[in-house]
Amino acid sequence: MRETKTIEFKERVTNSFLKTVSAFSNYDGGDIIFGIDDEGRITGIVDVKQACLDIENKINDSITPQPDYTLEVQNQERTIKLAVKPGLQKPYLYKSKAYKRNDTATIEVDTLELSRLILDGKNSRFEELPCRDQHLTFEILRQKLQDRVEIESFNQDTLKILNLYSNATGYSNAAGILADKNPFPGIDMVKFGENISVIQKRATFEHFSALAVYDKALELFRDYYQYEEILGADRKMVEKIPEAAFREAIANALIHRAWDVAAQIKVSMFDDRIEIISPGGLPPGITKDEYLSGKISVLRNRDLANVFYRLGYVEIFATGILRIKQLYGESLIQPNFEVTENTITVVLPVFERKLDLTEDERTIYQHLSKTVLKSMSDILPDVGFGKSKTSQLLKALAEKGVVEITGRGRGTRYVRK
């Protein structure tokens, strides 16, 4: 056995477990098992009955508000399992401090995270708080609603229906994010050349409506990943990366990001892919596996998502990742999704139709670049094959016309055609 983010071992009952009770209550819950040392070896508790009383007393005397937990004695091993459930009355404090789990460690939350816990305990969100600037205009939102939803009039009642304004608190932060001018961050887009040291273009879209930010990002995307192909008398628009996938990724980055973090959404554009990095990890209530499967969605910014949904920019019921994957169904290189505690990254590769390759050939092909010449020593650590097999596969790919081989001997290099 080993410790995880939701399992902690304690050899004895001391006050140190109380920080973890706070952490489990504030977030996803977890188990603390007494009678097991840090290495996962069972040592047992001498007086199990007294230990249970000590655990209960320590929790009741030290954690506020009272957390939801159960105690289970496992007599054969003489261990005690303390199961702590996620709480509704956040934050749960130990000695006036709130804690969270960071992998297998328990650490104190920072000021920003504490503010989020307080809001979560009130079933509220940052976007629902009153906006500091109450002198807002909404010409962009008005025009979008009239064009896409065909509303006849736009006024303060419209904003009330969208939960962007109330008589008691005025405009919300969600309203500010959608306002014509605002103090909120936006999107920083960079087009790189042959490597990250070569910047061909950089554009930052911020301090105006998220709807206009979305449009600006789409315009720049089209400049680099779409072109017209003339076939006889006809013109055909060619998409190097599916526009629908980029639309979905950017819209989701805007509505699911953490808006209380003063950081831009980063869009890095390369010849063979786009990387979209959104500030803020997953919201509470959803796991990484649930997010990646696309089977469940938890909205961090409900009112903002509602506006994007009404305008037809997104599907609100957990279809974003599934739609992107479907758009790449016939592509050799698939999109990639990475989740960390503080970011979500979506990587959209240039669309390449599936080739008649073996599974091993496909493995080699996926680790090659269209722009960077790679040596054998560059390729071997990634593919998991020996040098002889990798060389044979590269020659087979060259014979199929999908890989180009340049140079000789130690100077031999490989690149995708």
Side-chain angles (χ1 to χ4, degrees):
M1 291 190 295
R2 63 182 182 86
E3 291 184 317
T4 68
K5 192 171 185 178
T6 57
I7 298 176
E8 179 161 286
F9 300 146
K10 292 294 181 184
E11 193 169 0
R12 294 177 293 110
V13 180
T14 64
N15 287 343
S16 62
F17 82 93
L18 293 167
K19 293 180 181 180
T20 306
V21 174
S22 165
F24 287 161
S25 298
N26 283 326
Y27 293 93
D28 300 322
D31 297 331
I32 303 173
I33 304 177
F34 298 89
I36 299 180
D37 66 17
D38 292 339
E39 302 301 321
R41 294 186 294 260
I42 298 173
T43 57
I45 299 293
V46 176
D47 190 339
V48 172
K49 185 176 181 180
Q50 182 60 48
C52 287
L53 290 173
D54 290 343
I55 292 168
E56 290 184 5
N57 289 333
K58 288 179 182 294
I59 293 175
N60 295 338
D61 293 343
S62 305
I63 305 293
T64 55
Q66 285 293 299
D68 187 0
Y69 67 91
T70 59
L71 282 170
E72 177 185 341
V73 177
Q74 296 167 327
N75 290 320
Q76 288 186 343
E77 299 174 345
R78 300 191 67 78
T79 59
I80 302 169
K81 183 172 79 172
L82 170 62
V84 183
K85 298 179 181 179
L88 299 176
Q89 301 176 7
K90 303 170 185 176
Y92 291 83
L93 306 177
Y94 170 59
K95 292 186 176 179
S96 302
K97 296 179 180 179
Y99 292 86
K100 69 175 182 178
R101 292 286 279 178
N102 183 14
D103 196 12
T104 60
T106 301
I107 61 174
E108 184 181 350
V109 303
D110 58 24
T111 302
L112 175 60
E113 194 69 19
L114 180 60
S115 298
R116 291 174 178 170
L117 286 172
I118 293 171
L119 288 174
D120 200 22
K122 297 177 180 178
N123 194 30
S124 184
R125 299 290 186 272
F126 172 79
E127 64 154 4
E128 297 166 354
L129 296 176
C131 186
R132 291 183 180 181
D133 184 1
Q134 289 290 311
H135 299 88
L136 304 175
T137 61
F138 299 92
E139 180 59 26
I140 295 171
L141 176 59
R142 180 195 66 78
Q143 190 64 53
K144 293 285 187 184
L145 288 170
Q146 288 184 342
D147 290 346
R148 288 178 168 266
V149 188
E150 298 182 357
I151 63 169
E152 295 182 0
S153 62
F154 180 90
N155 50 41
Q156 208 162 75
D157 288 337
T158 310
L159 296 173
K160 288 180 180 179
I161 293 172
L162 296 173
N163 292 325
L164 302 178
Y165 180 85
S166 75
N167 292 332
T169 59
Y171 296 116
S172 66
N173 279 327
I177 293 166
L178 295 166
D180 298 328
K181 294 182 179 181
N182 61 56
F184 292 102
I187 296 178
D188 183 36
M189 301 184 71
V190 181
K191 176 62 175 70
F192 293 101
E194 58 187 24
N195 57 59
I196 59 174
S197 298
V198 180
I199 297 178
Q200 296 178 341
K201 185 179 180 63
R202 182 166 196 163
T204 302
F205 310 120
E206 62 180 349
H207 304 326
F208 53 86
S209 173
L211 300 172
V213 168
Y214 171 88
D215 288 342
K216 291 290 186 182
L218 188 57
E219 289 174 10
L220 193 56
F221 163 84
R222 288 169 176 163
D223 286 344
Y224 289 103
Y225 297 99
Q226 291 183 358
Y227 62 92
E228 282 191 344
E229 190 173 75
I230 300 175
L231 301 173
D234 299 325
R235 290 176 178 267
K236 177 185 177 184
M237 180 61 68
V238 179
E239 296 181 342
K240 296 173 69 176
I241 290 177
E243 180 179 306
F246 182 76
R247 284 176 176 271
E248 193 73 35
I250 286 295
N252 277 280
L254 286 166
I255 65 175
H256 291 301
R257 63 156 293 167
W259 283 98
D260 54 1
V261 176
Q264 309 282 9
I265 294 169
K266 297 290 185 181
V267 178
S268 300
M269 299 182 289
F270 302 90
D271 289 341
D272 62 345
R273 70 191 187 282
I274 292 178
E275 297 178 0
I276 302 164
I277 303 177
S278 179
L282 295 175
I286 182 172
T287 66
K288 179 179 177 179
D289 290 341
E290 288 169 339
Y291 167 77
L292 294 176
S293 71
K295 295 178 180 179
I296 185 173
S297 178
V298 176
L299 295 176
R300 175 180 274 120
N301 306 302
R302 294 171 287 203
D303 298 333
L304 195 60
N306 178 50
V307 172
F308 272 70
Y309 172 66
R310 286 173 181 263
L311 293 174
Y313 289 163
V314 294
E315 293 288 342
I316 208 165
F317 297 112
T319 60
I321 286 184
L322 292 179
R323 290 183 69 192
I324 291 173
K325 288 180 177 179
Q326 287 171 0
L327 289 164
Y328 276 88
E330 296 300 318
S331 177
L332 178 64
I333 312 297
Q334 292 295 302
N336 188 42
F337 307 89
E338 301 172 7
V339 179
T340 69
E341 184 176 0
N342 296 311
T343 62
I344 293 176
T345 301
V346 178
V347 181
L348 302 177
V350 166
F351 191 96
E352 296 184 42
R353 293 208 171 272
K354 291 180 179 178
L355 304 172
D356 183 19
L357 305 180
T358 67
E359 185 175 342
D360 289 346
E361 288 172 343
R362 189 176 295 112
T363 298
I364 298 289
Y365 186 80
Q366 289 177 342
H367 285 91
L368 294 176
S369 168
K370 272 192 170 184
T371 57
V372 179
L373 293 168
K374 290 192 173 185
S375 66
M376 181 67 72
S377 60
D378 294 328
I379 300 169
L380 286 174
D382 295 328
V383 299
F385 302 138
K387 184 176 180 180
S388 177
K389 181 175 181 178
T390 301
S391 178
Q392 292 174 359
L393 290 169
L394 285 165
K395 289 179 182 178
L397 289 168
E399 291 173 0
K400 291 183 177 181
V402 296
V403 167
E404 182 178 351
I405 303 176
T406 63
R408 298 178 64 183
R410 294 185 178 181
T412 304
R413 298 292 183 269
Y414 308 88
V415 68
R416 275 198 239 159
K417 281 191 175 180

PDB file of all heavy atoms in Angstrom, residues 221 239-247 327-328 348-351:
ATOM      1  N   PHE A 221      -6.439  32.722 -36.171  1.00  0.00           N
ATOM      2  CA  PHE A 221      -6.351  31.297 -36.505  1.00  0.00           C
ATOM      3  C   PHE A 221      -6.511  31.092 -38.004  1.00  0.00           C
ATOM      4  O   PHE A 221      -5.747  30.339 -38.634  1.00  0.00           O
ATOM      5  CB  PHE A 221      -7.428  30.532 -35.741  1.00  0.00           C
ATOM      6  CG  PHE A 221      -7.716  29.158 -36.273  1.00  0.00           C
ATOM      7  CD1 PHE A 221      -6.943  28.069 -35.900  1.00  0.00           C
ATOM      8  CD2 PHE A 221      -8.768  28.942 -37.172  1.00  0.00           C
ATOM      9  CE1 PHE A 221      -7.194  26.797 -36.408  1.00  0.00           C
ATOM     10  CE2 PHE A 221      -9.029  27.687 -37.678  1.00  0.00           C
ATOM     11  CZ  PHE A 221      -8.242  26.603 -37.287  1.00  0.00           C
ATOM     12  N   GLU A 239      -8.729  23.460 -44.618  1.00  0.00           N
ATOM     13  CA  GLU A 239      -8.443  23.692 -43.196  1.00  0.00           C
ATOM     14  C   GLU A 239      -7.304  22.781 -42.765  1.00  0.00           C
ATOM     15  O   GLU A 239      -7.445  21.561 -42.783  1.00  0.00           O
ATOM     16  CB  GLU A 239      -9.680  23.404 -42.336  1.00  0.00           C
ATOM     17  CG  GLU A 239     -10.853  24.309 -42.610  1.00  0.00           C
ATOM     18  CD  GLU A 239     -12.038  23.990 -41.705  1.00  0.00           C
ATOM     19  OE1 GLU A 239     -12.068  22.879 -41.127  1.00  0.00           O
ATOM     20  OE2 GLU A 239     -12.922  24.843 -41.574  1.00  0.00           O
ATOM     21  N   LYS A 240      -6.179  23.362 -42.382  1.00  0.00           N
ATOM     22  CA  LYS A 240      -5.063  22.553 -41.879  1.00  0.00           C
ATOM     23  C   LYS A 240      -5.410  21.968 -40.512  1.00  0.00           C
ATOM     24  O   LYS A 240      -5.024  20.855 -40.174  1.00  0.00           O
ATOM     25  CB  LYS A 240      -3.796  23.391 -41.807  1.00  0.00           C
ATOM     26  CG  LYS A 240      -3.315  23.883 -43.167  1.00  0.00           C
ATOM     27  CD  LYS A 240      -2.152  24.843 -43.041  1.00  0.00           C
ATOM     28  CE  LYS A 240      -0.894  24.142 -42.553  1.00  0.00           C
ATOM     29  NZ  LYS A 240       0.266  25.081 -42.520  1.00  0.00           N
ATOM     30  N   ILE A 241      -6.114  22.752 -39.716  1.00  0.00           N
ATOM     31  CA  ILE A 241      -6.668  22.310 -38.432  1.00  0.00           C
ATOM     32  C   ILE A 241      -8.163  22.595 -38.488  1.00  0.00           C
ATOM     33  O   ILE A 241      -8.571  23.684 -38.894  1.00  0.00           O
ATOM     34  CB  ILE A 241      -6.018  23.063 -37.255  1.00  0.00           C
ATOM     35  CG1 ILE A 241      -4.565  22.626 -37.088  1.00  0.00           C
ATOM     36  CG2 ILE A 241      -6.791  22.842 -35.954  1.00  0.00           C
ATOM     37  CD1 ILE A 241      -3.799  23.363 -36.008  1.00  0.00           C
ATOM     38  N   PRO A 242      -9.019  21.645 -38.113  1.00  0.00           N
ATOM     39  CA  PRO A 242     -10.467  21.884 -38.191  1.00  0.00           C
ATOM     40  C   PRO A 242     -10.882  23.123 -37.401  1.00  0.00           C
ATOM     41  O   PRO A 242     -10.617  23.219 -36.199  1.00  0.00           O
ATOM     42  CB  PRO A 242     -11.063  20.606 -37.578  1.00  0.00           C
ATOM     43  CG  PRO A 242     -10.015  19.568 -37.732  1.00  0.00           C
ATOM     44  CD  PRO A 242      -8.701  20.286 -37.610  1.00  0.00           C
ATOM     45  N   GLU A 243     -11.503  24.068 -38.089  1.00  0.00           N
ATOM     46  CA  GLU A 243     -11.927  25.297 -37.417  1.00  0.00           C
ATOM     47  C   GLU A 243     -12.903  24.997 -36.287  1.00  0.00           C
ATOM     48  O   GLU A 243     -12.860  25.641 -35.234  1.00  0.00           O
ATOM     49  CB  GLU A 243     -12.573  26.263 -38.412  1.00  0.00           C
ATOM     50  CG  GLU A 243     -13.025  27.562 -37.762  1.00  0.00           C
ATOM     51  CD  GLU A 243     -13.642  28.537 -38.733  1.00  0.00           C
ATOM     52  OE1 GLU A 243     -12.985  28.857 -39.755  1.00  0.00           O
ATOM     53  OE2 GLU A 243     -14.784  28.999 -38.475  1.00  0.00           O
ATOM     54  N   ALA A 244     -13.775  24.032 -36.489  1.00  0.00           N
ATOM     55  CA  ALA A 244     -14.762  23.702 -35.456  1.00  0.00           C
ATOM     56  C   ALA A 244     -14.075  23.247 -34.168  1.00  0.00           C
ATOM     57  O   ALA A 244     -14.551  23.529 -33.068  1.00  0.00           O
ATOM     58  CB  ALA A 244     -15.710  22.620 -35.965  1.00  0.00           C
ATOM     59  N   ALA A 245     -12.946  22.552 -34.298  1.00  0.00           N
ATOM     60  CA  ALA A 245     -12.211  22.106 -33.114  1.00  0.00           C
ATOM     61  C   ALA A 245     -11.590  23.294 -32.393  1.00  0.00           C
ATOM     62  O   ALA A 245     -11.604  23.365 -31.156  1.00  0.00           O
ATOM     63  CB  ALA A 245     -11.132  21.101 -33.509  1.00  0.00           C
ATOM     64  N   PHE A 246     -11.025  24.232 -33.163  1.00  0.00           N
ATOM     65  CA  PHE A 246     -10.443  25.427 -32.551  1.00  0.00           C
ATOM     66  C   PHE A 246     -11.520  26.277 -31.877  1.00  0.00           C
ATOM     67  O   PHE A 246     -11.324  26.786 -30.769  1.00  0.00           O
ATOM     68  CB  PHE A 246      -9.706  26.256 -33.606  1.00  0.00           C
ATOM     69  CG  PHE A 246      -9.041  27.482 -33.046  1.00  0.00           C
ATOM     70  CD1 PHE A 246      -7.854  27.378 -32.329  1.00  0.00           C
ATOM     71  CD2 PHE A 246      -9.600  28.740 -33.221  1.00  0.00           C
ATOM     72  CE1 PHE A 246      -7.235  28.502 -31.803  1.00  0.00           C
ATOM     73  CE2 PHE A 246      -8.993  29.869 -32.701  1.00  0.00           C
ATOM     74  CZ  PHE A 246      -7.811  29.754 -31.990  1.00  0.00           C
ATOM     75  N   ARG A 247     -12.656  26.433 -32.541  1.00  0.00           N
ATOM     76  CA  ARG A 247     -13.774  27.182 -31.938  1.00  0.00           C
ATOM     77  C   ARG A 247     -14.160  26.581 -30.588  1.00  0.00           C
ATOM     78  O   ARG A 247     -14.329  27.290 -29.602  1.00  0.00           O
ATOM     79  CB  ARG A 247     -14.994  27.142 -32.864  1.00  0.00           C
ATOM     80  CG  ARG A 247     -14.934  28.036 -34.079  1.00  0.00           C
ATOM     81  CD  ARG A 247     -16.173  27.793 -34.937  1.00  0.00           C
ATOM     82  NE  ARG A 247     -16.260  28.666 -36.079  1.00  0.00           N
ATOM     83  CZ  ARG A 247     -16.851  29.856 -36.082  1.00  0.00           C
ATOM     84  NH1 ARG A 247     -17.416  30.298 -34.963  1.00  0.00           N
ATOM     85  NH2 ARG A 247     -16.887  30.591 -37.165  1.00  0.00           N
ATOM     86  N   LEU A 327     -14.129  15.251 -34.469  1.00  0.00           N
ATOM     87  CA  LEU A 327     -13.615  15.989 -35.621  1.00  0.00           C
ATOM     88  C   LEU A 327     -12.278  15.433 -36.107  1.00  0.00           C
ATOM     89  O   LEU A 327     -11.911  15.604 -37.272  1.00  0.00           O
ATOM     90  CB  LEU A 327     -13.472  17.475 -35.263  1.00  0.00           C
ATOM     91  CG  LEU A 327     -14.793  18.239 -35.094  1.00  0.00           C
ATOM     92  CD1 LEU A 327     -14.571  19.548 -34.364  1.00  0.00           C
ATOM     93  CD2 LEU A 327     -15.426  18.492 -36.458  1.00  0.00           C
ATOM     94  N   TYR A 328     -11.549  14.778 -35.211  1.00  0.00           N
ATOM     95  CA  TYR A 328     -10.264  14.182 -35.560  1.00  0.00           C
ATOM     96  C   TYR A 328     -10.376  12.669 -35.762  1.00  0.00           C
ATOM     97  O   TYR A 328      -9.362  11.969 -35.779  1.00  0.00           O
ATOM     98  CB  TYR A 328      -9.240  14.467 -34.466  1.00  0.00           C
ATOM     99  CG  TYR A 328      -8.561  15.816 -34.604  1.00  0.00           C
ATOM    100  CD1 TYR A 328      -9.123  16.947 -34.032  1.00  0.00           C
ATOM    101  CD2 TYR A 328      -7.366  15.955 -35.302  1.00  0.00           C
ATOM    102  CE1 TYR A 328      -8.510  18.185 -34.150  1.00  0.00           C
ATOM    103  CE2 TYR A 328      -6.739  17.181 -35.424  1.00  0.00           C
ATOM    104  CZ  TYR A 328      -7.315  18.298 -34.844  1.00  0.00           C
ATOM    105  OH  TYR A 328      -6.705  19.531 -34.974  1.00  0.00           O
ATOM    106  N   LEU A 348      -4.099  20.779 -30.509  1.00  0.00           N
ATOM    107  CA  LEU A 348      -4.783  20.429 -31.750  1.00  0.00           C
ATOM    108  C   LEU A 348      -3.739  20.283 -32.855  1.00  0.00           C
ATOM    109  O   LEU A 348      -3.152  21.274 -33.298  1.00  0.00           O
ATOM    110  CB  LEU A 348      -5.794  21.518 -32.136  1.00  0.00           C
ATOM    111  CG  LEU A 348      -6.879  21.840 -31.107  1.00  0.00           C
ATOM    112  CD1 LEU A 348      -7.752  22.988 -31.615  1.00  0.00           C
ATOM    113  CD2 LEU A 348      -7.735  20.614 -30.815  1.00  0.00           C
ATOM    114  N   PRO A 349      -3.475  19.064 -33.327  1.00  0.00           N
ATOM    115  CA  PRO A 349      -2.470  18.876 -34.384  1.00  0.00           C
ATOM    116  C   PRO A 349      -3.037  19.217 -35.763  1.00  0.00           C
ATOM    117  O   PRO A 349      -4.261  19.253 -35.956  1.00  0.00           O
ATOM    118  CB  PRO A 349      -2.153  17.387 -34.279  1.00  0.00           C
ATOM    119  CG  PRO A 349      -3.421  16.773 -33.779  1.00  0.00           C
ATOM    120  CD  PRO A 349      -4.042  17.790 -32.866  1.00  0.00           C
ATOM    121  N   VAL A 350      -2.153  19.478 -36.692  1.00  0.00           N
ATOM    122  CA  VAL A 350      -2.579  19.608 -38.089  1.00  0.00           C
ATOM    123  C   VAL A 350      -3.204  18.294 -38.524  1.00  0.00           C
ATOM    124  O   VAL A 350      -2.689  17.207 -38.236  1.00  0.00           O
ATOM    125  CB  VAL A 350      -1.367  19.971 -38.977  1.00  0.00           C
ATOM    126  CG1 VAL A 350      -1.706  19.787 -40.454  1.00  0.00           C
ATOM    127  CG2 VAL A 350      -0.935  21.406 -38.713  1.00  0.00           C
ATOM    128  N   PHE A 351      -4.341  18.402 -39.187  1.00  0.00           N
ATOM    129  CA  PHE A 351      -5.116  17.217 -39.571  1.00  0.00           C
ATOM    130  C   PHE A 351      -4.393  16.464 -40.680  1.00  0.00           C
ATOM    131  O   PHE A 351      -4.072  17.012 -41.728  1.00  0.00           O
ATOM    132  CB  PHE A 351      -6.503  17.640 -40.051  1.00  0.00           C
ATOM    133  CG  PHE A 351      -7.472  16.506 -40.214  1.00  0.00           C
ATOM    134  CD1 PHE A 351      -8.357  16.181 -39.201  1.00  0.00           C
ATOM    135  CD2 PHE A 351      -7.496  15.741 -41.381  1.00  0.00           C
ATOM    136  CE1 PHE A 351      -9.258  15.136 -39.345  1.00  0.00           C
ATOM    137  CE2 PHE A 351      -8.382  14.698 -41.524  1.00  0.00           C
ATOM    138  CZ  PHE A 351      -9.261  14.394 -40.500  1.00  0.00           C
TER     139      PHE A 351
END
